[in-house]
Amino acid sequence: MIGAVLAGGAGSRMGTPKAGTVLAGRPLIAFPVEAVRAAGLDPVVVAKLETQLPEVGCPVIHDGDARSHPAAGIVAALRAAGGEAIVLVACDMPFVAPELLDHLARLDAAAAVPRVAGRLEPLLARYGPASVPALEAAIERGGALNEAITELDPQIVEEAEIARFGDPGRMTSNVNDPGDLAAAERLLAAGARP
């Protein structure tokens, strides 16, 4: 099964492309790619053609959709998976546990999305090929990704289930700006598991 690392964002809040932002001496994207690999999944990076990427050590799938919508990257990954389900993780989630990715991969669900602190986490989820029509519709109408997720009627992976693999809030946290980056650096320096 493919473990798709989504790297299509522009990184405007970070001030530099997120995938190559340095965290603990390594590109930010290296952390989820390694987690995907450790989960026994085949890592691929999904990015826009113009996205600046560091060396990622795995295949890169270019999302050819000119519109900037995270669902476009998910659709590109699903197409590359050749009719199989995928596990998706954002490139800015350095603390996701391989065990959680493996758990998502093993679920027997057309779509499965974690919910942490009452919020769905659609950029850390399992998607099957049946998800494509709802995702494409969200892209067409410019709707929020969470609206498409609701239409998919996914299996919700609740916080108590996620907690078996580590701190749910930490695993689903994103590094969006320099403050988040500094916080992630402090966590890693204190021995937090990437």
Side-chain angles (χ1 to χ4, degrees):
M1 177 183 285
I2 284 179
V5 180
L6 191 62
S12 56
R13 287 181 281 176
M14 184 65 73
T16 183
K18 275 196 212 178
T21 296
V22 176
L23 172 62
R26 299 168 50 212
L28 183 57
I29 196 170
F31 294 91
V33 168
E34 286 178 8
V36 165
R37 199 171 271 122
L41 304 172
D42 296 322
V44 298
V45 169
V46 183
K48 298 286 187 192
L49 190 56
E50 67 275 7
T51 301
Q52 295 176 21
L53 293 173
E55 175 55 44
V56 292
C58 65
V60 176
I61 297 165
H62 288 112
D63 157 20
D65 196 313
R67 295 166 290 190
S68 180
H69 196 294
I74 301 169
V75 169
L78 283 164
R79 288 192 175 126
E84 298 292 323
I86 65 163
V87 172
L88 181 83
V89 60
C91 76
D92 63 357
M93 291 182 159
F95 297 105
V96 67
E99 297 84 0
L100 175 57
L101 297 175
D102 177 62
H103 179 70
L104 291 170
R106 292 175 187 273
L107 292 175
D108 185 21
V113 181
R115 179 167 42 208
V116 175
R119 281 189 25 231
L120 292 177
E121 297 291 342
L123 298 183
L124 173 60
R126 172 193 171 96
Y127 294 96
S131 305
V132 170
L135 294 169
E136 287 179 331
I139 297 165
E140 281 300 316
R141 69 176 177 266
L145 181 56
N146 275 349
E147 292 173 18
I149 302 309
T150 302
E151 290 174 23
L152 293 174
D153 190 27
Q155 176 178 338
I156 303 299
V157 183
E158 296 292 357
E159 206 162 331
E161 189 174 349
I162 298 165
R164 295 176 15 215
F165 311 109
D167 180 323
R170 182 174 296 158
M171 284 190 291
T172 58
S173 66
N174 301 88
V175 175
N176 286 317
D177 57 39
D180 293 342
L181 184 63
E185 289 276 4
R186 286 191 298 274
L187 285 169
L188 289 171
R193 176 181 165 190

